[in-house]
Amino acid sequence: MRLLGFLARRGFQSVFVLLGLSILIFIIARVLPGDRARTALGARAPQWVVDRLREDLHLAQPLVAQYGYWLGDALQGDLGISLVTRRAVTDDIRDFLPASLELVLFSGLITAVGGIGLGILSARHKDTWVDNIIRVFSYMGVVIPSFVAAILLLLLFGLILDWFPSIGRLSEGVPRPPKITGFYTVDSLLAGQFATTWDALKHLVLPAVALALGSLSQEARITRSTMSDNLSKDYIAAGRALGVPERLVTGRFLLKASLIPTVSIFGLDFAATLSNAFLVELIFVWPGISRYGVNAMLRKDLNAISAVILILGITFIIVNILVDLGVGALDPRIRLRGARSD
Amino acid sequence: MTEPLLDIKDLYVQFEVYGGRLEVLDGVNFRVGTGEKIGLVGETGCGKTTTMKAILRILPEPPAVIPRGEITFKGRDVLKMNSAELSKVRGRGISMIFQDPTAALNPVFTIGQQFEPVIRYSSPQNRRLSRREIREKAIVSLQEVALADPERLLDSYPLQLSGGMRQRVCIGMALATHPELLIADEPGTSLDVTIQDQVLRLLRELVEEKHTSVILITHTLGVVRETADRVYVMYAGNMVEVAPTPKLFANPLHPYTQGLMQAVPKLTGGGVAHGIPGRIPDYLSPPSGCRFHTRCPHVMDICRREKPPFFSVDGGHQVACFLYDKSPEARRDEAVAA
Ligand SMILES: Nc1ncnc2c1ncn2[C@@H]1O[C@H](COP(=O)(O)OP(=O)(O)OP(=O)(O)O)[C@@H](O)[C@H]1O
Ligand code: SF4
Ligand SMILES: [Mg+2]
């Protein structure tokens, strides 16, 4: 019940956030200089065509009215036509978003498992060579931008060692899975095309690792420092003093208390990953939404830009809610405070 | 005294910190007989908690280092034990009530979740008990410390309890293992005086009933007087005096103890040493010889050079102070000086 209340409250708040975001997107898109219809159609289009488009886009009417039309359409799932691909923006998104989500989710998984794992390892072996290696590695991970990591990984593991495919989502000749979720790995599993799953996974590794490296390092550092701080807390000493076995004291009991900051930071990093994915998608020729969004920006494709920003906004909101749920699950202080303010 | 239950000999504990080593414990000698109730007093920072944590090997290492010493519990040196042996000592051999009950409870687990492994691993039979059976035992433990509604308490998080309740929970947990020796580190100090009294009375009744040996740490000499068979007085990482309780109160020998006694009427929980001007010395570069010489009204030359060992005065009354050195050489020195 408490959970449902929380979700309802957050859902309600999110409506306003999204409304605000939509106004912002709308205004920014309209105040850009230049005639949108002319830009879209090019310099050589006849004037009457341009005028028709202006009318279709309600460009002659006041901004408020334009926003009304836009919002009404958007709520019906109509985000307009992309001026570049000449298709409905929603169709474009349906094509490109799953590719990005699959990449980002996979990289999130790598971040969570790798970051927390390395952090624990580092804290357990504090001030030994294990710890030192992990610390140097995570320093580098934090300072190296993901596109540099992407290029290095591509060169080393993709071209020189040739361990992983370096381009696209699937190798040539591998059958595409039927579209169910849009995630090749999942869809091919569902369809029983295991060879495709394997191929899709191999294609995911390099871009996902490149994308994960920064936040993974951050997670490792935070996990390590929280754990080693908490290791000298009295509740650890008390657990030991009362005969609780070491594997529980430094396992379950220390971990749950120590992962709270890691999860919060993970949420922030994860949401940022989607927007950082652009260069990585570019380098690995990954047909994702970030690449689509940047192309749209370069071409002043306003409908597409608005849609991409909206998608990013929604993703941020969802990730935030999930992170709050995660932190709440770990930390009764937050959960109980939330319940009290209900 | 027959074979003591716990015997600490010449224990040193240091902390590695930025800028050097804190030489905190400086050759501590300390004994607890079976069934004895020991009081341990000394002003804040003198190393009481450090000594107790060393016994259970629960000092955070690093930064703590134990370069020298012996801590024998039932004839075996705790400092030489491997983790399997240690786990037998912890809990069912010795358990501890921590100074700050809030810090001693894990904030992200319920009381029940924290109780469960304490009871489960306190004896081989308990290992095989079901969750329900363990829970029953936890409920009994909470009832023993006079907590109402134990069922609900077990499902609460520490932050949902009052300070007094947390303190009782900690006492309940420490006793749930049925330890042979219970260490109580200033129980109730963080609570207001009436609740503190209740907690101490409760604790006294419980250990009386179970014949547990006890080390009771406190700032308040009055509490020691009511509870302890023998009292140790600690100053700056040394035990400076030990005596059966009545003797210590009738005839305090160490200049530091005498200062403490003068401060008693004030009963100011925080600074017991108001009778003696000055502060506890800096552990980064502690005074040579007798660590009390910077504050002692009777300081002599030898005090700055040498560290006073325990001198026996009579029947179990020992004091680490050169004023009480009655060896032949010391008497000759006195004669020369006269
Ligand atoms: N983990 C640690 N790192 C560094 N120094 C420490 C650590 N633990 C204790 N000390 C130092 O050891 C000294 C003794 O501390 P301890 O807690 O044993 O004193 P205490 O006698 O229990 O005092 P109180 O009555 O205030 O509880 C203090 O100077 C303290 O700063
Ligand atoms: S040994 Fe010396 S300095 Fe220390 S207490 Fe005795 S007289 Fe004072
Ligand atoms: Mg203390």
Side-chain angles (χ1 to χ4, degrees), chain B residues 47-67:
Chain B
K48 304 181 294 292
T49 303
T50 303
T51 311
M52 297 304 123
K53 287 188 173 171
I55 297 172
L56 281 158
R57 292 283 301 279
I58 53 174
L59 284 168
E61 301 177 39
V65 195
I66 306 182

Side-chain angles (χ1 to χ4, degrees), chain A residues 63-115:
Chain A
L63 269 186
V64 182
Q66 287 187 36
Y67 176 70
Y69 285 117
W70 183 78
L71 189 65
D73 288 346
L75 286 179
Q76 289 164 32
D78 177 6
L79 292 170
I81 303 281
S82 161
L83 301 178
V84 175
T85 61
R86 305 279 162 195
R87 302 198 308 164
V89 169
T90 34
D91 287 342
D92 282 349
I93 290 195
R94 219 168 282 143
D95 276 354
F96 293 116
L97 185 61
S100 281
L101 280 185
E102 185 175 34
L103 175 61
V104 168
L105 286 175
F106 194 64
S107 107
L109 191 72
I110 295 176
T111 301
V113 175

Side-chain angles (χ1 to χ4, degrees), chain B:
Chain B
M1 194 167 40
T2 53
E3 169 91 329
L5 183 64
L6 175 78
D7 192 357
I8 303 182
K9 285 198 190 111
D10 205 26
L11 178 69
Y12 287 75
V13 172
Q14 307 175 341
F15 292 99
E16 302 267 11
V17 291
Y18 182 76
R21 258 186 188 213
L22 300 174
E23 299 177 20
V24 176
L25 296 195
D26 180 46
V28 162
N29 289 292
F30 183 88
R31 285 179 164 215
V32 183
T34 307
E36 247 193 331
K37 294 180 190 52
I38 299 292
L40 175 55
V41 294
E43 72 197 283
T44 184
C46 70
K48 304 181 294 292
T49 303
T50 303
T51 311
M52 297 304 123
K53 287 188 173 171
I55 297 172
L56 281 158
R57 292 283 301 279
I58 53 174
L59 284 168
E61 301 177 39
V65 195
I66 306 182
R68 246 170 85 188
E70 221 177 78
I71 303 175
T72 9
F73 179 69
K74 300 212 287 183
R76 311 256 348 258
D77 190 348
V78 174
L79 296 179
K80 297 204 179 88
M81 288 185 183
N82 61 30
S83 56
E85 294 167 312
L86 262 182
S87 70
K88 288 195 190 110
V89 170
R90 292 169 174 171
R92 50 191 137 137
I94 309 172
S95 83
M96 177 160 168
I97 300 164
F98 281 66
Q99 193 161 354
D100 175 0
T102 305
L105 292 169
N106 193 322
V108 301
F109 287 89
T110 62
I111 303 301
Q113 288 169 327
Q114 301 185 53
F115 242 112
E116 135 113 35
V118 171
I119 294 179
R120 185 172 299 282
Y121 296 98
S122 65
S123 79
Q125 301 90 283
N126 284 3
R127 292 268 166 111
R128 289 186 295 273
L129 295 185
S130 69
R131 288 224 161 156
R132 189 66 238 175
E133 290 165 312
I134 297 263
R135 199 176 159 92
E136 295 300 333
K137 282 179 182 283
I139 289 175
V140 172
S141 293
L142 289 176
Q143 282 162 344
E144 270 183 0
V145 289
L147 280 166
D149 204 357
E151 281 277 0
R152 215 194 57 204
L153 225 96
L154 285 177
D155 295 324
S156 305
Y157 289 93
L159 87 161
Q160 293 170 293
L161 312 184
S162 70
M165 288 161 91
R166 281 178 219 161
Q167 181 70 73
R168 282 164 195 267
V169 166
C170 288
I171 295 176
M173 269 196 211
L175 287 171
T177 63
H178 303 294
E180 291 168 74
L181 172 63
L182 176 73
I183 299 171
D185 193 352
E186 308 197 28
T189 318
S190 55
L191 309 173
D192 75 61
V193 185
T194 24
I195 300 180
Q196 187 178 343
D197 272 356
Q198 288 171 10
V199 164
L200 281 167
R201 201 171 319 124
L202 176 76
L203 189 63
R204 266 200 294 269
E205 285 167 18
L206 286 171
V207 297
E208 207 62 61
E209 198 180 297
K210 297 172 192 268
H211 308 290
T212 316
S213 310
V214 178
I215 303 171
L216 177 69
I217 300 181
T218 170
H219 280 309
T220 329
L221 281 170
V223 173
V224 171
R225 195 170 204 163
E226 289 171 55
T227 315
D229 305 324
R230 285 194 306 137
V231 183
Y232 276 90
V233 180
M234 192 168 189
Y235 178 77
N238 289 300
M239 296 296 165
V240 293
E241 184 165 3
V242 52
T245 312
K247 270 191 192 158
L248 188 90
F249 280 92
N251 187 23
L253 296 179
H254 198 281
Y256 177 68
T257 317
Q258 291 168 352
L260 278 188
M261 297 286 180
Q262 283 161 20
V264 170
K266 293 182 198 157
L267 271 182
T268 43
V272 268
H274 284 185
I276 316 147
R279 294 187 45 231
I280 212 155
D282 174 13
Y283 289 116
L284 261 184
S285 48
S288 57
C290 172
R291 284 189 170 182
F292 190 55
H293 83 239
T294 49
R295 292 165 81 182
C296 181
H298 310 291
V299 57
M300 304 173 285
D301 275 347
I302 186 173
C303 308
R304 298 198 179 85
R305 278 183 280 116
E306 282 176 44
K307 194 172 135 61
F310 262 148
F311 297 105
S312 284
V313 180
D314 72 296
H317 197 158
Q318 292 180 305
V319 55
C321 169
F322 287 118
L323 291 173
Y324 304 92
D325 183 2
K326 292 294 171 246
S327 64
E329 314 96 89
R331 251 171 284 164
R332 197 184 54 235
D333 289 350
E334 265 172 43
V336 172

Side-chain angles (χ1 to χ4, degrees), chain A residues 286-334:
Chain A
W286 195 264
I289 192 86
S290 301
R291 227 167 49 124
Y292 174 75
V294 172
N295 279 333
M297 283 180 208
L298 294 177
R299 309 267 198 92
K300 273 200 184 168
D301 184 351
L302 281 180
N303 288 338
I305 296 175
S306 310
V308 169
I309 296 180
L310 211 58
I311 296 283
L312 285 182
I314 293 173
T315 313
F316 269 85
I317 288 172
I318 293 176
V319 168
N320 257 316
I321 293 178
L322 288 179
V323 165
D324 285 354
L325 281 178
V327 171
L330 287 174
D331 192 346
R333 290 165 289 194
I334 297 203

Side-chain angles (χ1 to χ4, degrees), chain A residues 26-84:
Chain A
F26 180 82
I27 291 178
I28 290 174
R30 310 298 128 152
V31 298
L32 284 176
D35 181 342
R36 290 180 56 218
R38 173 56 73 191
T39 317
L41 294 172
R44 273 177 300 164
Q47 188 57 40
W48 67 268
V49 181
V50 174
D51 287 343
R52 262 254 308 270
L53 186 61
R54 289 180 65 92
E55 198 147 311
D56 285 351
L57 294 173
H58 311 288
L59 288 186
Q61 299 190 29
L63 269 186
V64 182
Q66 287 187 36
Y67 176 70
Y69 285 117
W70 183 78
L71 189 65
D73 288 346
L75 286 179
Q76 289 164 32
D78 177 6
L79 292 170
I81 303 281
S82 161
L83 301 178
V84 175

